[in-house]
Amino acid sequence: MTKEQSVAGLLQTHGQPKVLAKQTHVFYQGDHDARVYFVQSGLLKAYYLSADGKESIKSFIEAGSIIGSLNAALGQGGCSFNLVALEPSQLLGLPFATLVEAAAQSHTLAGEVIQHLLALAMKKEQREYELLSLSAEQRFVRLRQTSPELLKRVTQNDIARYLGVTPVALSRIKKRGS
Amino acid sequence: MTKEQSVAGLLQTHGQPKVLAKQTHVFYQGDHDARVYFVQSGLLKAYYLSADGKESIKSFIEAGSIIGSLNAALGQGGCSFNLVALEPSQLLGLPFATLVEAAAQSHTLAGEVIQHLLALAMKKEQREYELLSLSAEQRFVRLRQTSPELLKRVTQNDIARYLGVTPVALSRIKKRGS
DNA sequence: AGTCATTTTTAACCTAAGTTAATGCACTGA
DNA sequence: TCAGTGCATTAACTTAGGTTAAAAATGACT
């Protein structure tokens, strides 16, 4: 294998293209998909489905982001969530192991991976904070401030399930704060 | 600087010991403390304090763990949370920059850092899932299953604020599920 | 033992959000 | 055009949890 010096370069050479129509799943909860995906274009959602059928949305993934199930990547079991395209999307898939091996070969790549993981950890920390400390209404106000474009691309149902409330509750929240 | 080959080694040589009495703070929200701390013994809590005085507990940190504010470490601002000892504790502090520089020198150390960050991301993901998808009662049941020892070391007040409910609510939950 | 502070429980009342179901709306496809 | 489907709103009712305050229980210190 060539010594790739960046995540971008690695994806160019070893990434396998994947074209997704709307509503197509990349993987389901329980699948053993140990790849990371780079989103070239489109929009996806990562969501949990509980035993009683309730859907909770973990995150929306826009172009430029990287997504994959850590659980499956680290071989600790299947994917912990579902991944589906909300809009037609183009991805590049790369086995997680390939990334790890390449990182072991190249200092600069390892540094890049560390930066990616630090950014990921900070994003998760922010979300954790909002879920722990803010009310549903406060979370909605924040989302409207930070990602107004996203609100236009995603149904209110999905926004609600991302905020951790039912669509009915979100409709009420909007009415209250108008 | 010697080329340290492991996080443990780096802490041995460059870590600065810190002994904390109960109730002593390591840092406060807003402080610029860009260090990571390794907990040798004791127990700490990381918590947010909102403008209106409400406390939310981000996490409990037991011996063997590493803690620090990513926000401050990456120079993006002050610490986003408070860190205080719940029991007498011994820490080793290390500037985050020292860790990053050392990781740039050593493959094995960089690999170790990546593993740490992956584990951290998985833990945050788990917590995010529980806050998003489970009820307070379900979160309490899980905590009792996974960390029964912790429940004995921490007041019920703090458990409640970790679960994201008030102490009164947790008392009711316990009563219900008995 | 007795006092003090802290923690936990209980009660009464209030508010946010879940549930179910009906209605209206917009988009799609035959 | 019309039927069908999914989305958003509204209503009525239920439930979990917040708030405030007071009472028990626990623990620490002298």
Side-chain angles (χ1 to χ4, degrees):
Chain A
M1 184 187 303
T2 48
K3 275 205 185 183
E4 290 298 340
Q5 294 297 314
S6 73
V7 175
L10 198 67
L11 282 160
Q12 291 297 331
T13 46
H14 295 84
Q16 136 182 8
K18 192 155 194 158
V19 176
L20 294 172
K22 207 171 160 173
Q23 303 280 25
T24 316
H25 277 79
V26 180
F27 54 71
Y28 292 90
Q29 234 162 300
D31 286 358
H32 286 270
D33 184 338
R35 272 170 293 212
V36 291
Y37 294 93
F38 173 75
V39 182
Q40 296 184 289
S41 68
L43 180 67
L44 299 97
K45 77 171 172 186
Y47 68 101
Y48 301 106
L49 217 47
S50 71
D52 55 320
K54 214 185 66 178
E55 175 180 336
S56 309
I57 299 186
K58 180 175 137 67
S59 62
F60 298 105
I61 304 101
E62 299 181 76
S65 302
I66 289 175
I67 179 77
S69 171
L70 283 177
N71 204 49
L74 298 179
Q76 315 224 324
C79 296
S80 55
F81 58 87
N82 305 276
L83 183 59
V84 67
L86 294 181
E87 298 175 3
S89 305
Q90 289 180 280
L91 312 186
L92 285 177
L94 187 76
F96 185 73
T98 305
L99 180 61
V100 170
E101 284 159 26
Q105 302 298 318
S106 157
H107 272 124
T108 57
L109 184 59
E112 232 188 284
V113 169
I114 288 177
Q115 291 307 315
H116 265 289
L117 287 173
L118 285 170
L120 176 69
M122 280 199 58
K123 234 161 79 177
K124 296 225 156 295
E125 200 155 303
Q126 183 64 25
R127 177 118 159 101
E128 176 192 285
Y129 164 75
E130 292 178 2
L131 289 168
L132 176 65
S133 306
L134 303 182
S135 67
E137 178 159 5
Q138 291 172 310
R139 293 198 293 273
F140 176 61
V141 169
R142 280 211 181 199
L143 184 64
R144 203 170 39 187
Q145 284 171 351
T146 60
S147 315
E149 353 67 46
L150 193 67
L151 294 195
K152 292 179 210 133
R153 294 170 79 184
V154 173
T155 69
Q156 203 167 298
N157 275 358
D158 277 351
I159 296 294
R161 288 187 264 260
Y162 173 75
L163 294 175
V165 297
T166 60
V168 177
L170 180 52
S171 178
R172 281 190 292 232
I173 287 171
K174 280 180 67 180
K175 198 178 169 188
R176 274 209 301 270
S178 58
Chain B
M1 183 189 301
T2 49
K3 275 207 189 185
E4 290 298 341
Q5 295 297 314
S6 74
V7 176
L10 198 67
L11 282 160
Q12 291 297 331
T13 46
H14 295 84
Q16 138 182 4
K18 191 154 196 161
V19 176
L20 294 171
K22 207 171 160 172
Q23 304 280 26
T24 316
H25 278 79
V26 180
F27 54 72
Y28 292 89
Q29 234 162 301
D31 285 359
H32 287 269
D33 185 337
R35 271 169 294 212
V36 290
Y37 295 93
F38 174 75
V39 181
Q40 295 184 291
S41 69
L43 179 67
L44 300 97
K45 77 170 170 186
Y47 67 101
Y48 301 106
L49 217 47
S50 70
D52 55 317
K54 214 185 67 178
E55 176 180 335
S56 310
I57 299 185
K58 180 176 135 65
S59 61
F60 299 106
I61 304 101
E62 300 180 77
S65 302
I66 290 175
I67 180 78
S69 171
L70 283 177
N71 203 48
L74 298 180
Q76 317 223 325
C79 297
S80 54
F81 57 87
N82 305 276
L83 183 60
V84 66
L86 294 180
E87 297 175 4
S89 305
Q90 291 181 281
L91 312 186
L92 286 178
L94 187 75
F96 184 73
T98 305
L99 180 61
V100 170
E101 284 160 26
Q105 301 297 317
S106 157
H107 272 126
T108 58
L109 183 59
E112 231 188 283
V113 169
I114 288 177
Q115 291 307 314
H116 265 289
L117 287 173
L118 284 170
L120 175 69
M122 281 199 58
K123 235 163 78 175
K124 296 228 155 294
E125 200 156 302
Q126 183 64 23
R127 176 118 160 100
E128 176 191 285
Y129 165 75
E130 292 178 1
L131 288 169
L132 178 63
S133 307
L134 303 182
S135 68
E137 178 159 5
Q138 290 172 310
R139 293 199 292 273
F140 176 61
V141 169
R142 279 210 182 198
L143 184 65
R144 203 170 37 188
Q145 284 171 349
T146 60
S147 315
E149 352 68 46
L150 193 67
L151 294 194
K152 292 180 209 131
R153 294 169 80 183
V154 173
T155 69
Q156 202 167 298
N157 276 358
D158 277 350
I159 296 293
R161 288 187 264 259
Y162 174 74
L163 294 175
V165 295
T166 60
V168 177
L170 180 53
S171 178
R172 281 190 291 231
I173 287 171
K174 280 179 67 180
K175 198 180 170 187
R176 273 209 303 269
S178 58

